[in-house]
Amino acid sequence: MTSATTNGIILAAALLSGAVVYLRNKKRPALPYPPGPKKHFLLGNLLDVPTKFAWKTYAQWGKAFDSDILHLSVAGNDFIILNTFSAANDLFEKKSSIYSSRPQFTMVSELMGWDWLMSGMVYGEPWRERRRAFQQYFHAGNAPLYQPAQMEAIRKMLPRLLNTPEDFLSITRQKEEFCVDEKDDFYSALGTMALSLAYGLDIREDNDPYLNLSEEAVKSIGEAAVPGAFLVDVIPALKYVPEFFPGAGFKKKARIWKGMQEGMREIPYADTVKNITRSSYSSDDGVQEVGNARVSFTSTCLENLDESGNIEHQRTVVKDTAAIVFAAATDTTLSAIHTFFVAMLCFPESQRKAQEELDRVLGGRLPEFSDEADLPYLSALVKEVLRSSTYAMIQMATLDAHRFAAIPHYASEDDVYNGYHIPKGSLVIGNAWAMLHNEDDYPEPSLFRPERFLKHGQLDPDVRDPALMAFGFGRRLCPGNHIAISALWLTAATVLATFDITEAIDGNGLPIEPSVEYESALICKAHGENGYSHPLPFKCTIKPRSKASTTLIQSASDSL
């Protein structure tokens, strides 16, 4: 089947869906839909949806229509855009029983077998079981379980940053899209942390098989989740077509991708179980000991299974949740770390202030988590990274005809908000970018200014925390947001304590003026639940702040 034929079928299906919705909506509700661009016959707003920097356009539409809630109709689907924190809180938090589910896609959930993935699961008991398992182990009060792994991973990364600073942000251009190279130093460091937290396993080599499993599986779900890529998402009955049937090539892809999903989910878990089994023995004095099976989410949960319940079901929940930790723990933090480097390059005054504070508090040693209370400027800087960067776009959708960058919330019932009708089945999206650039909350939002979070030299509790918007909303709030923030904080503190980030130098020895841009759409369609916007390739100089810094980096690595 040619590309033109496939596109024609998809367009026909979209028109058919639009016609069905048009006929359904001829009997209009008593209340109006939220405001939005004028709908076109059958297509709705399909031709109006922006293809670049859509989050900015939605914010502009909100101002033009003087409304913090918008309605779009795209090929038969109702979309609700929320541009303010108050609107997001009213729906996602106060009405969470209605807005906590997710839309389902046949290719990803059924044919590829990702129905266990917590971020995309329908709201219900299976989702609650996995979230509960995660929160019981990784709750904010359990920091001693995950912070040592973060400390070890980040300090092991420092010598690589010292020896090959040019590789700190490895970006290549592939298939006409900018794609962050999964093998860069920070990816490896965060992958090490995720593997240790989830399974107690170590990365064994540069081309680690566990990281490769995760990378390939996440790439496949990214490709499959692009709306319009597979007709089976428009016509679910096509899932019954045999693989050998003409035009059913999607079935072969689904089978191969399902194998990747199963490998990522099964292999690290099975290896952990083997380690636990062969490492448990009784010593001469009768005390139970554990050999090379390190404490992890998986080992702890398996040790605490409820013997009175369904053991196999509990093990499945543990296996699923561990895979979620492994797959999701990397890119959420990676995007923010890359943006941190961008901010330090473009705003050297903020870098200098943070380094002065670090020098005063640390006195020449590396930072610890216990230093956080004494480093308010650094904490404010981290908050500003979350607020000002496109990292906040993890909750935004591009809503064009080709791709989405977020998993929307799903309205499971008809609802009324501020006098507007929100139909059942609507896909509801919180525009975190608009919220984090709200001038009432953050004056001069286009400026990178950590001081906005400070008052009399301390963090100001009256300024809204960007984490309330950058990690999702309501019951679908990312349960590991505190882990991502702590990894970002420690990375920023450690790097700034030891390195200077400055302009790159050209062949004539002259500084290159910083010019950093972000890709507006999904990067490689492969990163995480919602898609993350990484900086496009940029150059900078990363060098130790002093000889003492070089010695500190080397000694810290040797001690691990």
Side-chain angles (χ1 to χ4, degrees):
M1 185 179 293
T2 66
S3 175
T5 301
T6 301
N7 290 337
I9 293 174
I10 292 172
L11 179 59
L15 290 171
L16 178 60
S17 298
V20 170
V21 173
Y22 173 77
L23 293 173
R24 181 192 70 197
N25 288 344
K26 287 188 72 176
K27 184 179 179 181
R28 299 188 62 82
L31 294 173
Y33 291 115
K38 182 180 178 181
K39 277 68 175 173
H40 303 284
F41 180 69
L42 296 185
L43 291 178
N45 298 117
L46 182 62
L47 303 179
D48 302 315
V49 174
T51 58
K52 288 187 176 181
F53 305 108
W55 44 90
K56 293 185 178 180
T57 300
Y58 302 144
Q60 292 167 358
W61 284 350
K63 292 180 179 179
F65 289 104
D66 192 24
S67 175
D68 56 1
I69 178 171
L70 300 172
H71 174 262
L72 302 175
S73 176
V74 182
N77 294 301
D78 290 301
F79 286 89
I80 304 296
I81 311 297
L82 307 177
N83 278 327
T84 65
F85 178 77
S86 60
N89 189 62
D90 287 344
L91 268 60
F92 295 145
E93 190 69 43
K94 296 179 181 178
K95 295 186 176 182
S96 57
S97 61
I98 297 177
Y99 294 100
S100 292
S101 201
R102 298 289 201 196
Q104 296 299 294
F105 303 100
T106 303
M107 183 69 174
V108 172
S109 295
E110 296 187 41
L111 298 183
M112 293 172 61
W114 286 95
D115 56 337
W116 56 270
L117 190 64
M118 187 165 61
S119 60
M121 292 178 73
V122 171
Y123 181 71
E125 186 56 28
W127 173 81
R128 281 190 288 267
E129 287 178 316
R130 286 152 183 80
R131 187 177 180 91
R132 187 160 52 241
F134 182 97
Q135 290 180 317
Q136 286 176 347
Y137 187 82
F138 290 112
H139 62 82
N142 220 6
L145 285 175
Y146 60 82
Q147 287 185 345
Q150 292 177 324
M151 182 84 70
E152 180 179 359
I154 291 168
R155 290 190 177 182
K156 280 185 176 179
M157 173 269 301
L158 289 177
R160 296 199 296 271
L161 193 58
L162 176 67
N163 297 327
T164 56
E166 67 277 4
D167 294 335
F168 86 99
L169 178 57
S170 301
I171 297 184
T172 58
R173 190 173 179 89
Q174 300 177 4
K175 299 179 182 178
E176 300 183 352
E177 292 184 273
F178 284 105
C179 179
V180 174
D181 185 351
E182 251 69 36
K183 303 303 188 293
D184 78 8
D185 288 343
F186 287 102
Y187 183 88
S188 297
L190 295 169
T192 299
M193 178 193 73
L195 194 63
S196 176
L197 292 175
Y199 302 106
L201 298 172
D202 291 320
I203 288 181
R204 291 173 284 182
E205 54 194 52
D206 290 339
N207 191 30
D208 183 77
Y210 296 125
L211 287 186
N212 289 340
L213 280 171
S214 177
E215 178 187 349
E216 293 304 316
V218 172
K219 280 185 178 179
S220 72
I221 192 175
E223 291 184 43
V226 178
F230 296 98
L231 190 58
V232 69
D233 285 327
V234 180
I235 308 174
L238 290 177
K239 65 185 177 182
Y240 299 111
V241 174
E243 185 177 312
F244 61 81
F245 199 79
F250 71 93
K251 293 291 290 287
K252 180 179 179 180
K253 283 189 174 182
R255 175 170 51 82
I256 295 172
W257 286 344
K258 184 176 183 178
M260 295 177 181
Q261 172 266 126
E262 291 174 342
M264 186 207 76
R265 181 181 176 224
E266 299 287 347
I267 293 175
Y269 175 82
D271 288 349
T272 301
V273 171
K274 288 178 184 177
N275 282 346
I276 295 171
T277 301
R278 70 167 169 260
S279 298
S280 299
Y281 62 93
S282 295
S283 63
D284 294 338
D285 58 3
V287 178
Q288 189 89 19
E289 296 183 0
V290 178
N292 63 349
R294 297 169 58 185
V295 174
S296 66
F297 169 82
T298 299
S299 66
T300 301
C301 290
L302 290 180
E303 289 173 5
N304 295 323
L305 295 178
D306 181 3
E307 298 292 338
S308 64
N310 185 328
I311 296 296
E312 284 307 309
H313 176 73
Q314 293 177 62
R315 287 175 177 163
T316 298
V317 171
V318 172
K319 178 167 59 179
D320 291 352
T321 310
I324 291 164
V325 173
F326 183 35
T330 303
D331 203 65
T332 52
T333 312
L334 186 66
S335 177
I337 288 174
H338 288 167
T339 296
F340 158 73
F341 275 90
V342 170
M344 296 302 93
L345 173 63
C346 296
F347 303 97
E349 182 64 17
S350 295
Q351 178 180 182
R352 183 188 62 79
K353 289 181 179 180
Q355 288 176 328
E356 287 177 353
E357 182 182 68
L358 285 162
D359 291 344
R360 184 172 65 256
V361 172
L362 302 181
R365 61 177 173 83
L366 287 176
E368 310 264 350
F369 282 109
S370 58
D371 296 315
E372 185 170 0
D374 298 320
L375 296 167
Y377 187 85
L378 181 72
S379 296
L381 186 148
V382 168
K383 289 180 183 291
E384 185 70 344
V385 167
L386 290 177
R387 186 205 67 81
S388 65
S389 72
T390 48
Y391 180 60
M393 289 184 288
I394 63 176
Q395 291 303 315
M396 266 313 300
T398 305
L399 290 190
D400 59 32
H402 308 290
R403 64 186 73 193
F404 281 52
I407 299 180
H409 292 238
Y410 180 84
S412 57
E413 298 178 11
D414 285 334
D415 191 27
V416 175
Y417 179 67
N418 284 355
Y420 296 122
H421 173 69
I422 299 177
K424 177 181 179 180
S426 293
L427 306 184
V428 188
I429 302 160
N431 185 351
W433 185 90
M435 300 175 202
L436 292 169
H437 287 73
N438 185 309
E439 294 179 358
D440 293 334
D441 291 326
Y442 308 108
E444 298 181 296
S446 62
L447 299 181
F448 186 88
R449 200 160 57 84
E451 290 81 3
R452 72 175 75 248
F453 295 100
L454 296 172
K455 185 176 182 180
H456 305 309
Q458 298 298 317
L459 290 175
D460 185 354
D462 293 330
V463 180
R464 183 169 286 143
D465 189 344
L468 295 173
M469 295 153 280
F471 291 96
F473 304 93
R475 298 178 187 178
R476 301 313 289 239
L477 174 73
C478 173
N481 57 37
H482 54 288
I483 300 176
I485 292 172
S486 68
L488 174 60
W489 183 91
L490 187 64
T491 300
T494 304
V495 168
L496 290 180
T498 51
F499 291 95
D500 284 321
I501 303 165
T502 58
E503 297 169 327
I505 304 299
D506 65 16
N508 298 318
L510 299 175
I512 300 173
E513 186 71 20
S515 178
V516 181
E517 296 179 357
Y518 281 78
E519 178 64 27
S520 70
L522 274 173
I523 304 301
C524 294
K525 302 186 291 293
H527 296 292
E529 168 191 346
N530 298 314
Y532 298 84
S533 188
H534 293 260
L536 300 185
F538 67 95
K539 294 182 178 181
C540 68
T541 298
I542 302 174
K543 61 182 180 180
R545 297 178 62 196
S546 64
K547 290 183 179 180
S549 297
T550 301
T551 302
L552 185 63
I553 291 169
Q554 294 169 338
S555 62
S557 177
D558 293 341
S559 67
L560 293 173

